[in-house]
Amino acid sequence: MSVPFLPTISTACIVISAVLVGIGWGKIRKGQIENHKKTMMAAAVFALIFFIIYSSRTVFIGNTSFGGPDNLKVFYTIFLFFHITLATVGAVLGIISLWSGLKNRLNIHRKLGPVTSIIWLGTGITGVLVYLFLYVFYEGGETTSLIKAILGG
């Protein structure tokens, strides 16, 4: 079995990002403000690398549709919508959390940071599951446009 290069790299980036978020959360709980800031910035860089790879691949190559059994497609599609929603909310909250932390708007940052972190950790986990379903558990389906891949076309 071989796995595709770009999806593997981008998934690794999102996992690294999620792990760094967890580490950063631990750093702030210990009062290590500078280490927290550096760790969260590194997490943001890995998330950005993921986004660049994913969006470039989507534009230039397309997306891979689910290649597993037909009786699982509806469950995979529902799960994929959940993951996309989680990732989108996590990305928006991540930007707001970074901004509020960097601008020293700590009243916002302290409230939003833990929620953002939990959502981002969930995004990392669900992202790995999407990767496993597309490339490891089952042979990937047709590589096609984003809309066709999501709708199973």
Side-chain angles (χ1 to χ4, degrees), residues 9 16 28 55 58 63 65 70 76 78 83 112 116 118 137 145:
I9 297 300
I16 292 168
I28 200 61
S55 57
T58 298
N63 286 78
S65 63
D70 286 341
Y76 171 79
I78 291 167
H83 167 70
L112 197 56
T116 304
I118 291 167
F137 297 155
S145 72

Side-chain angles (χ1 to χ4, degrees), residues 16-26 39-40 43-44 116-118 120-121:
I16 292 168
S17 175
V19 168
L20 288 170
V21 165
I23 292 169
W25 195 354
T39 305
M40 292 309 212
T116 304
S117 295
I118 291 167
W120 200 249
L121 293 171

Side-chain angles (χ1 to χ4, degrees), residues 27-127:
K27 297 284 183 193
I28 200 61
R29 290 182 56 89
K30 293 178 182 176
Q32 300 172 354
I33 296 169
E34 276 307 306
N35 286 336
H36 167 74
K37 184 177 177 179
K38 290 175 185 175
T39 305
M40 292 309 212
M41 290 304 292
V45 167
F46 277 98
L48 182 60
I49 293 168
F50 160 81
F51 182 74
I52 290 167
I53 293 170
Y54 177 80
S55 57
S56 297
R57 184 174 185 272
T58 298
V59 168
F60 296 110
I61 299 170
N63 286 78
T64 303
S65 63
F66 181 66
D70 286 341
N71 63 329
L72 293 181
K73 279 188 180 183
V74 68
F75 299 108
Y76 171 79
T77 302
I78 291 167
F79 182 77
L80 182 61
F81 277 121
F82 173 73
H83 167 70
I84 291 169
T85 302
L86 202 62
T88 303
V89 170
V92 170
L93 291 179
I95 292 166
I96 296 168
S97 292
L98 282 170
W99 173 83
S100 63
L102 292 171
K103 292 293 184 180
N104 238 7
R105 304 254 169 101
L106 299 182
N107 58 330
I108 297 169
H109 188 73
R110 286 184 180 125
K111 290 176 186 171
L112 197 56
V115 173
T116 304
S117 295
I118 291 167
I119 291 171
W120 200 249
L121 293 171
T123 299
I125 292 166
T126 58

